[in-house]
Amino acid sequence: MELSMAVSKRFPGSFELKTDFTVAGEQVGVFGVSGSGKSTLVGLIAGLLEPDRGEIVLDGDCLFNSERGINLPPQQRRVAIVFQDSCLFPHLSVEANLLYGYRRCPARHRQIDVKSLVSVLQLDGLLDRGVNRLSGGEKQRVALGRAILANPRLLLMDESLSALDDALKLQIIHYLKRASEKFRIPYLFISHSLLEVRLLTDQVLAMGGGRVLGQTTPEQLARERMGQSQVGYINLLQVEKLRKMGGLYVYRWGMEELFVSAGDDEAMAVFELSSRDIILFTRHPEAVSARNLLKCTVMDTFPSGNKVGVELRCGHETLIAEVVVQAADDLAIQARNEVYAVIKASSFRRLS
Amino acid sequence: MPVLSSTDFDAIVLSIKVALTATLLSLPFGFLYAYLMTFFKFRAKVLLEVLVNLPLTLPPVVMGYLLLLALGKNGWFAPLLDFLGVRLIFTWKAAVLASALVGFPLLVRSIRLAMESIDGRLIQASRTLGAGSLDSLLTVILPLSRTGLVAGSSLMFARSMGEFGATIIVAGNIPGVTRTIPLAIYDYAGSPDGEPAALVLCVVAIALSVLVLLVHESLTRKLARRQ
C-alpha cells in the first residue's frame, strides 16, 4: 500500500488539517492525542469529508484532486473503516452485516472467501444472531469481518480497539493480524494508544495539531515519548510460565527467570514493565528486597526530555530503563558497561 | 339500542378508505421530505418547513377554500385537470387530498424523529462498504426509520379520519360519496331527532381513535428507547 496525501481542510473555528506525506507499508500506524486530526484524516481518505484543496493518491489511483476536479465517492474508493464502537447495522443479522460490503463488491475484486473469513475470525456460531445480542468483543470481530469482506484495498482502523478492555484488545489484535496477513489487506491503524500502535504496526505517522509531525517506527516513537510520558517507556515481555513458588510465579524470559506477583496459570503471557520500575546498579548489590536481579549490558543510551533512556541487553532480550540525567552522569552509564537491573516482583502488569 | 344504519356504515367505510388512501399516498413524499430535511442543508429550508407545517396552525377551512380555488371548475389548475380528464372537486378524491395536506405535517414529524435518531456513522459505514447514496437510503435509512414511518402513518390516519373543515368545502357532503363520519355526525346534530345516531357514530370515532393512538403510543415508546 502506498498512500500520498497533500491536502488541507479548514473547519469552522480554528482547526485546520494540513498534511503532505507519502507512506508505504502494510501495517501503518497513525498516532496522536485526541484532537490531533486523526479522525479527520480517516474521513478524508475514505471520502466522507472533502478536502478544501490538494491531492490524495492511493496505490497509484487518484482518489481526490482539487485541480483536476476528481473526487471519488466513498463507495468507489474501496477503503473500509472499522469504527470505535463497531457500528453494525442494528436491523440486520450478523450474517447480513458481514455480507453487506461483499454483495456490493464488484466480482472482479472479490478475492476473499466468506467461509474462510468466518473461520479465521471464528464467527461460525454467531451468524444467525441479531447484532444486539453480541458482546463488545464479538461486535468488533463482526465489524472487522464486514470491513474485510468488502475486499478493500485499504482498511482504516479508527480507534477500533479503544472501547475494549485489555483482554479483548489482545484478542482482536490477534484476529486483525491474522486476517490482514492471510488476506493481504494493508491497514492504517489510528490510535491514541502507543501500546496498540506498537503491537500492530511497523511504522507510524505521529500527528499533532492537524499536522503530521513525523514518520518513524513505533519503537522510536515510544523512546522519544518516554521522558514526557506519565508511565515512561513500557517494556513488553513475552514470557513462559515455569512454576509457582511461595506467593510468586516464576516465568522464563529469554534466558532469564523472572519472579512476578501478578501471574496466573496460563502457560504463555505478556507483561508490561515500565522503564521507571527498573533500578540500575553498577556493582552487584549484596542485599535487596526486590526479587529480580538481572545482569545486563548497556547497548545504548538516548536522551528523552530530562531523562536518559538506557537500552539494556539481557541474554538475547532488550529492556529499556530510564534514569535522570544526573544519575546517568554519576554512574557513568555508557555503551558496553555492565550493570545490574533490579525489578520488584510487583512491577509487572499482566497484559493478556 | 340504536344500531348503525346502512348510510352510517357507508360513512365509516368511506372514512377509512379516505384516511387510508391519504396516508398511503403521503408516505413516500413524507419519507423523501423527512430525508431532505434531516440530511441536507439548503437555502429554502426554513421556507419549506413553514409551508409544510402551515396546515397544523391554519384553520382547515382556509385550506379547503384554497383547494377549491385551485382545483375548481375555473380554478388555477383547471386547464391541467381538464387536459388530464380528471375531476376532483366533490369526489372522494378531493377528500383524500384535503386529508393528505392536513395530515402531512404529523406524518413528517414522526419520520424525522426516527431519522434524526439514526447514528450518522451507520450511513458512513454503508458508504465505505460500497453503497451509493440511494442504496444507503433504501438499505439503512429506510429500515431504521420504520418505527417512525408506522407511528407517523397511524397519527396521520387518525387525523384524516377526523378531517372536517377542509373536506366539507372541497368535497362537499354527499351521502355515500363524500360523507365521512364527521360530516355524518354534523348532519345528525342538525336534525331534530338525530342525537342517538350521532352518539353511535361518536362512539365509533372514539373507538377508532383510541385504537390508533394506542398503536402510536407503543411505537413512539419503542423509538424513545432506541434513542
Side-chain angles (χ1 to χ4, degrees):
Chain A
M1 183 270 298
E2 187 181 82
L3 173 70
S4 332
M5 267 183 105
V7 293
S8 65
K9 167 102 184 147
R10 183 175 279 283
F11 288 90
S14 59
F15 185 75
E16 188 192 22
L17 182 105
K18 207 167 179 178
T19 65
D20 189 354
F21 68 86
T22 300
V23 63
E26 302 307 293
Q27 305 181 341
V28 179
V30 176
F31 175 80
V33 296
S34 53
S36 57
K38 302 187 303 286
S39 290
T40 307
L41 198 74
V42 168
L44 292 172
I45 299 170
L48 302 170
L49 289 172
E50 189 180 330
D52 296 334
R53 68 188 67 80
E55 188 182 40
I56 304 173
V57 179
L58 176 60
D59 294 335
D61 287 340
C62 180
L63 302 182
F64 178 87
N65 186 314
S66 53
E67 276 169 24
R68 286 166 32 212
I70 298 173
N71 184 15
L72 280 191
Q75 69 269 25
Q76 285 170 24
R77 295 194 177 196
R78 297 183 55 224
V79 172
I81 304 181
V82 179
F83 294 91
Q84 179 174 342
D85 37 3
S86 73
C87 288
L88 297 176
F89 301 122
H91 56 294
L92 299 177
S93 70
V94 168
E95 187 175 14
N97 264 285
L98 283 173
L99 294 177
Y100 192 93
Y102 184 78
R103 291 197 174 119
R104 286 163 176 79
C105 175
R108 64 179 188 282
H109 294 310
R110 273 189 205 166
Q111 284 155 358
I112 297 166
D113 175 44
V114 180
K115 268 195 190 143
S116 62
L117 176 105
V118 165
S119 85
V120 167
L121 296 184
Q122 296 183 338
L123 297 168
D124 310 73
L126 308 176
L127 293 181
D128 298 330
R129 269 203 233 168
V131 296
N132 295 322
R133 290 180 47 229
L134 299 177
S135 69
E138 288 170 339
K139 276 186 183 167
Q140 211 54 334
R141 238 155 71 207
V142 175
L144 180 61
R146 180 178 73 172
I148 290 174
L149 274 179
N151 289 266
R153 53 183 163 185
L154 175 63
L155 192 59
L156 298 175
M157 303 288 292
D158 187 5
E159 297 277 4
S160 312
L161 307 179
S162 304
L164 303 174
D165 61 37
D166 278 350
L168 283 176
K169 213 175 260 189
L170 282 180
Q171 191 198 58
I172 302 286
I173 284 176
H174 163 75
Y175 284 123
L176 172 60
K177 279 195 146 170
R178 253 176 83 179
S180 159
E181 276 157 26
K182 180 155 167 61
F183 303 117
R184 292 162 181 273
I185 297 180
Y187 57 77
L188 205 61
F189 186 85
I190 291 94
S191 179
H192 65 271
S193 153
L194 192 53
L195 177 69
E196 292 171 11
V197 169
R198 284 173 65 196
L199 289 172
L200 272 166
T201 67
D202 44 34
Q203 54 180 316
V204 58
L205 300 167
M207 286 197 76
R211 305 284 186 276
V212 170
L213 304 173
Q215 197 169 330
T216 173
T217 63
E219 183 58 34
Q220 199 55 43
L221 183 69
R223 291 184 184 194
E224 278 164 22
R225 290 180 53 83
M226 182 188 79
Q228 36 177 309
S229 161
Q230 299 271 328
V231 291
Y233 174 100
I234 300 294
N235 292 285
L236 295 170
L237 285 66
Q238 283 231 333
V239 296
E240 193 184 326
K241 193 190 166 203
L242 291 178
R243 61 187 180 277
K244 203 175 165 189
M245 213 174 79
L248 296 178
Y249 292 82
V250 185
Y251 287 94
R252 185 199 303 285
W253 177 59
M255 291 152 71
E256 306 284 343
E257 284 191 0
L258 293 178
F259 292 81
V260 175
S261 337
D264 63 21
D265 293 326
E266 301 268 331
M268 308 290 280
V270 178
F271 283 101
E272 290 184 350
L273 173 66
S274 165
S275 55
R276 301 199 166 168
D277 290 333
I278 304 172
I279 302 173
L280 298 183
F281 291 81
T282 45
R283 281 189 298 275
H284 191 289
E286 291 302 324
V288 283
S289 63
R291 287 298 87 195
N292 297 290
L293 178 68
L294 307 172
K295 190 175 176 187
C296 316
T297 309
V298 175
M299 300 305 289
D300 194 11
T301 61
F302 57 91
S304 180
N306 59 348
K307 302 278 177 56
V308 174
V310 184
E311 183 183 332
L312 303 169
R313 175 62 57 89
C314 318
H316 299 301
E317 306 291 328
T318 301
L319 263 190
I320 303 288
E322 68 175 75
V323 293
V324 293
V325 176
Q326 291 89 334
D329 292 344
D330 287 353
L331 297 181
I333 290 176
Q334 50 187 312
R336 288 192 299 279
N337 282 5
E338 294 227 313
V339 294
Y340 292 89
V342 171
I343 309 158
K344 291 164 81 171
S346 57
S347 299
F348 297 94
R349 201 179 82 86
R350 199 189 154 90
L351 197 63
S352 43
Chain B
M1 158 113 190
V3 281
L4 291 169
S5 70
S6 77
T7 51
D8 293 345
F9 201 69
D10 286 347
I12 294 170
V13 171
L14 183 68
S15 278
I16 293 175
K17 178 172 141 187
V18 166
L20 207 59
T21 314
T23 308
L24 291 179
L25 270 181
S26 305
L27 257 180
F29 296 102
F31 178 71
L32 284 178
Y33 175 77
Y35 174 63
L36 212 63
M37 296 309 261
T38 311
F39 295 102
F40 294 88
K41 286 184 189 151
F42 52 94
R43 254 163 210 275
K45 201 166 174 174
V46 177
L47 188 71
L48 198 59
E49 188 95 275
V50 168
L51 268 180
V52 163
N53 281 310
L54 203 56
L56 273 183
T57 48
L58 208 63
V61 177
V62 175
M63 292 295 304
Y65 190 66
L66 289 177
L67 272 179
L68 190 65
L69 288 183
L71 307 173
K73 217 167 185 166
N74 302 310
W76 307 319
F77 296 119
L80 179 71
L81 293 174
D82 280 345
F83 176 74
L84 294 172
V86 182
R87 197 179 77 95
L88 289 176
I89 295 301
F90 304 125
T91 67
W92 72 279
K93 291 174 203 149
V96 167
L97 204 59
S99 295
L101 278 179
V102 174
F104 195 70
L106 295 172
L107 175 71
V108 165
R109 199 153 280 230
S110 298
I111 303 177
R112 277 178 72 174
L113 211 62
M115 277 189 186
E116 278 158 14
S117 77
I118 298 175
D119 183 347
R121 283 168 318 157
L122 291 176
I123 299 160
Q124 296 188 338
S126 80
R127 299 298 307 276
T128 59
L129 290 168
S133 40
L134 181 65
D135 191 349
S136 225
L137 176 67
L138 295 176
T139 59
V140 178
I141 299 175
L142 178 62
L144 290 178
S145 310
R146 196 172 47 199
T147 325
L149 283 165
V150 182
S153 302
S154 62
L155 211 57
M156 179 174 176
F157 179 81
R159 175 68 186 84
S160 301
M161 291 284 292
E163 213 322 286
F164 178 83
T167 309
I168 198 166
I169 290 193
V170 80
N173 186 359
I174 310 162
V177 181
T178 63
R179 193 167 75 170
T180 55
I181 298 175
L183 296 175
I185 294 173
Y186 174 71
D187 275 353
Y188 283 130
S191 65
D193 44 5
E195 194 182 306
L199 274 176
V200 171
L201 278 182
C202 284
V203 170
V204 171
I206 291 169
L208 283 170
S209 292
V210 168
L211 189 71
V212 170
L213 285 176
L214 280 178
V215 171
H216 175 260
E217 193 60 25
S218 76
L219 285 171
T220 32
R221 263 167 209 232
K222 208 169 129 190
L223 192 67
R225 264 208 304 278
R226 206 177 75 198
Q227 277 174 321

